Amino acid sequence: MSQKRRVSATQSRAPKRSQIVGDDEDDEDMSFTQPTSSQVQRARENFTTVQIDRKTAEVVQFILIKDQKKVPIRRADIVKHVMKEYKPIYQDIMKRVTRTFEQVFGMKLLEIDSKNHIYILVNKIEPVAGEPVSLYPSNPKTGLLFVILSIIFMKGGVVKEALIWNTLKKLRVDPGEKHDDFGDVKKLVTDEFVRQKYVEYVRIPHTEPLEFEFRWGLRAEKEVSKLKLLEFVAQLHDQEPQSWTQQFREATAAESSQ
Amino acid sequence: MNRSMGDSHRRFLQTMMSNGIIDNIQARALHQHCCEVHSGHYIPDKLDEFIDVINAQLQPMFMNIRKAMSEEDGLQYYALVNLTETDITRMSSDYADNELELFRKAMDLIVDSENGTASSTDILNCADTLQTKKLRKKEAELVLNKFVQDKWLNEKHGEYTLSTRCITEMDQYIRTMYRDLVKICHVCHNIALQSQMCENPGCGIKMHLPCVARYFKGRSDPHCPACSDFWPHEIPEFHRRQSQASQSQFSSAKENTAPAPSTSSSRRSRR
Ligand SMILES: [Zn+2]
Ligand SMILES: [Zn+2]
């Protein structure tokens, strides 16, 4: 142990991931014109299969990281941070990416906003009872989200914010106070959950003072089973899900359309 | 044999993705569970083959499920490893820059220590010398807690060690960064932090505590396997954790006695 030498770990920081992920909350959607088929053909010849495979892997990793934080994935970000000079063969690579998600990971890459080209990953593998290792290790935020989505659903799809805050207060989650698990509750619900597209938080027109209401977000529509949610609520009330006729109809309809 | 991926493999993979690392017993139970949920063909004892199928698909994505031994208890674990980022940037989507800097400092202290541990006091003392942005002591404590929760560090009585997940995922990084500082276990050839060292100055090999226990088991007069000098340390004992899963057909005798193979090379050679 006489001559110790250490390459300074603190200084050599490989910026790989931060470069890939980037800080992209506020940049504009870049212009995205569809290349012609002959352009695509020519572009394809510029890349080897190995290069295309490598790029596909990079896009898959990029999307997985975004999905971990439940941040919606924008086409503009994929192009800007990962595709770069591969942009002419964007469609080709995305086809491979989509196939990889389905075949390897059991996930579906869905475009939830075709105007702004926003994607989310939807899991085709659902949690089941008796898992020896949890598919989704419990996250207190998920529990809170589930409660909020339940309230909205049971109240017919839209609720005034006051109702949400009052219900949470009854559960000893005060939006005005800092919570041990959730931190700033109001920010979590009206900012983080909104950005993740689990809920929509919109101003009710012509209200004075300002009033807001909550609806389900696009991600919730794709990801959360209304039937499971209703079963959960029914269990709490010690009743059958069928007792809520309208909700039951909506939940079963949603189930069969998926 | 069917080598294609089914939903049972996908469920296993997704569980690995959200947990990062699971132990051998959990992995075996999960294997059975995944096969049963998707009425797949379940063969007990064929967990490694099952994982090979997943790894063949993961390889083009530069990911890999890898076996690893815990330095602490000698138990076998399975970790999902990302091969494109084998350093601390691996964590950068979950932590702020100054939190990552604190992690680097903790890692420096741990690797530089005799026995692979660093005290919370020493780590917290780094918090107000951070170049990115200082952390108050209270904040630094919370961050350390998060590292433990996210399974990057282990903590026992105020002493921090690198977790199995951390050592497995950052194996290459640690070997490169601390080239002349880090030693390899003489028995299992993995990075040895929590370990014993031969006191012969011309030798100085290291062995993990569980590897020491296995290697010297039943020998009354322990000698260094490299230089044959007397081994002056107390030989630790490890009691295998018994659980419902390990008592049944799952516990294969070979895993209990043989030193853990260096899995990184055997795993990667597929295809
Ligand atoms: Zn060892
Ligand atoms: Zn020796």
Side-chain angles (χ1 to χ4, degrees):
Chain A
M1 292 279 276
S2 48
Q3 336 120 295
K4 286 185 189 172
R5 185 171 64 84
R6 179 199 311 153
V7 185
S8 167
T10 341
Q11 273 158 28
S12 68
R13 167 182 311 168
K16 271 176 279 176
R17 170 159 299 179
S18 41
Q19 253 174 17
I20 297 178
V21 177
D23 191 13
D24 40 39
E25 294 299 344
D26 44 26
D27 53 31
E28 289 293 302
D29 194 349
M30 52 168 62
S31 65
F32 199 91
T33 43
Q34 208 70 256
T36 66
S37 60
S38 63
Q39 277 174 323
V40 172
Q41 196 49 49
R42 235 175 304 134
R44 261 183 212 137
E45 287 159 8
N46 288 335
F47 301 105
T48 64
T49 323
V50 176
Q51 285 175 316
I52 293 176
D53 285 347
R54 171 94 212 189
K55 198 44 90 176
T56 304
E58 281 177 27
V59 176
V60 166
Q61 296 232 0
F62 177 83
I63 293 176
L64 282 175
I65 296 163
K66 291 269 176 188
D67 180 64
Q68 247 172 23
K69 300 170 87 178
K70 293 290 166 210
V71 180
I73 303 130
R74 297 166 45 190
R75 181 168 77 182
D77 295 333
I78 298 177
V79 171
K80 185 173 157 197
H81 300 297
V82 201
M83 290 278 193
K84 296 174 187 165
E85 72 273 20
Y86 290 69
K87 187 179 157 189
I89 53 166
Y90 180 90
Q91 299 294 348
D92 276 28
I93 291 180
M94 286 311 279
K95 243 182 244 158
R96 285 160 191 263
V97 168
T98 307
R99 200 167 53 219
T100 303
F101 275 121
E102 281 184 23
Q103 290 176 353
V104 181
F105 297 96
M107 295 167 169
K108 209 170 168 64
L109 188 64
L110 274 186
E111 193 172 39
I112 53 166
D113 180 341
S114 50
K115 193 166 136 261
N116 299 303
H117 303 293
I118 297 174
Y119 304 94
I120 59 167
L121 271 183
V122 177
N123 206 338
K124 299 273 109 188
I125 305 283
E126 290 195 353
V128 294
E131 290 170 348
V133 187
S134 177
L135 181 60
Y136 304 119
S138 70
N139 176 348
K141 286 181 185 174
T142 318
L144 180 68
L145 175 66
F146 204 70
V147 169
I148 293 171
L149 290 176
S150 303
I151 302 170
I152 303 173
F153 176 61
M154 297 310 285
K155 292 284 175 194
V158 49
V159 296
K160 290 192 176 176
E161 68 170 325
L163 181 79
I164 299 282
W165 305 136
N166 289 335
T167 316
L168 292 186
K169 264 184 215 159
K170 282 182 206 152
L171 299 168
R172 299 216 192 99
V173 179
D174 193 328
E177 285 170 19
K178 219 172 165 75
H179 188 274
D180 282 350
D181 289 324
F182 311 133
D184 185 337
V185 177
K186 182 152 186 196
K187 185 155 179 270
L188 172 66
V189 177
T190 61
D191 186 66
E192 194 171 319
F193 287 168
V194 171
R195 261 187 299 125
Q196 295 172 338
K197 307 239 178 248
Y198 278 118
V199 297
E200 285 176 8
Y201 179 66
V202 284
R203 201 193 139 182
I204 308 171
H206 316 300
T207 43
E208 187 61 46
L210 288 185
E211 275 190 75
F212 287 81
E213 60 188 15
F214 283 106
R215 293 168 192 274
W216 275 38
L218 287 166
R219 184 193 291 275
E221 294 285 356
K222 301 287 182 195
E223 224 175 59
V224 181
S225 156
K226 290 179 172 156
L227 196 58
K228 287 237 169 72
L229 200 139
L230 183 58
E231 280 164 3
F232 167 77
V233 173
Q235 234 170 35
L236 285 183
H237 289 84
D238 209 9
Q239 299 216 14
E240 291 299 313
Q242 285 86 339
S243 337
W244 290 270
T245 329
Q246 200 199 323
Q247 281 85 351
F248 186 73
R249 211 182 304 133
E250 192 185 334
T252 40
E255 211 76 0
S256 53
S257 73
Q258 269 184 359
Chain B
M1 193 188 193
N2 187 7
R3 309 296 291 171
S4 71
M5 200 80 184
D7 276 347
S8 52
H9 299 94
R10 297 183 187 113
R11 180 175 293 273
F12 191 95
L13 171 60
Q14 286 208 11
T15 311
M16 288 299 304
M17 286 165 67
S18 49
N19 287 273
I21 187 166
I22 60 177
D23 70 35
N24 185 38
I25 293 164
Q26 289 176 314
R28 275 158 209 283
L30 182 62
H31 174 210
Q32 178 172 16
H33 167 80
C34 290
C35 290
E36 283 170 0
V37 170
H38 299 286
S39 12
H41 187 42
Y42 170 62
I43 318 168
D45 270 349
K46 293 290 179 201
L47 171 61
D48 286 352
E49 283 83 346
F50 182 82
I51 289 178
D52 280 345
V53 173
I54 303 174
N55 276 341
Q57 301 292 321
L58 282 183
Q59 199 190 19
M61 301 301 121
F62 306 100
M63 293 162 84
N64 189 247
I65 297 174
R66 196 174 279 185
K67 255 196 232 179
M69 185 201 73
S70 151
E71 294 203 309
E72 223 142 286
D73 53 23
L75 287 177
Q76 186 98 212
Y77 286 79
Y78 290 85
L80 183 71
V81 179
N82 187 329
L83 302 170
T84 54
E85 304 182 52
T86 54
D87 63 3
I88 291 169
T89 49
R90 164 79 185 76
M91 301 159 67
S92 64
S93 60
D94 297 321
Y95 297 96
D97 280 350
N98 54 350
E99 298 175 340
L100 290 179
E101 196 186 342
L102 185 70
F103 188 83
R104 286 191 177 85
K105 300 258 187 197
M107 199 182 224
D108 286 354
L109 288 168
I110 290 169
V111 176
D112 208 359
S113 72
E114 283 286 298
N115 52 0
T117 66
S119 72
S120 60
T121 327
D122 288 346
I123 300 175
L124 291 175
N125 279 341
C126 304
D128 54 24
T129 60
L130 297 179
Q131 285 167 9
T132 38
K133 183 169 174 259
K134 282 173 194 168
L135 281 167
R136 269 174 295 164
K137 190 160 172 273
K138 262 262 162 312
E139 295 170 325
E141 273 171 4
L142 286 177
V143 176
L144 280 181
N145 272 342
K146 206 169 152 216
F147 289 145
V148 174
Q149 240 171 44
D150 295 347
K151 296 180 248 185
W152 296 111
L153 294 179
N154 289 339
E155 188 264 347
K156 220 188 244 166
H157 314 302
E159 295 286 323
Y160 287 85
T161 53
L162 296 189
S163 70
T164 311
R165 177 186 193 185
C166 177
I167 296 175
T168 311
E169 291 212 24
M170 299 183 194
D171 178 273
Q172 267 319 313
Y173 171 80
I174 298 172
R175 285 179 199 240
T176 320
M177 268 314 163
Y178 305 95
R179 208 174 311 140
D180 298 331
L181 207 54
V182 79
K183 289 207 171 174
I184 302 308
C185 172
H186 191 82
V187 176
C188 71
H189 310 294
N190 289 310
I191 291 169
L193 297 173
Q194 297 177 66
S195 53
Q196 295 181 348
M197 192 166 75
C198 174
E199 287 187 356
N200 173 357
C203 174
I205 61 142
K206 274 192 168 183
M207 289 196 268
H208 289 118
L209 304 178
C211 292
V212 167
R214 254 191 309 242
Y215 188 82
F216 291 127
K217 197 173 180 214
R219 300 188 203 187
S220 52
D221 190 25
H223 286 270
C224 172
C227 70
S228 304
D229 260 23
F230 179 67
W231 195 260
H233 309 281
E234 190 188 331
I235 309 301
E237 263 183 65
F238 287 88
H239 301 284
R240 296 231 143 236
R241 184 176 46 167
Q242 290 291 315
S243 89
Q244 61 279 35
S246 70
Q247 285 160 357
S248 58
Q249 71 270 35
F250 304 133
S251 62
S252 59
K254 63 174 189 291
E255 270 171 2
N256 287 347
T257 50
S262 105
T263 47
S264 47
S265 52
S266 62
R267 206 89 322 203
R268 221 179 305 169
S269 57
R270 274 191 48 87
R271 218 203 295 206

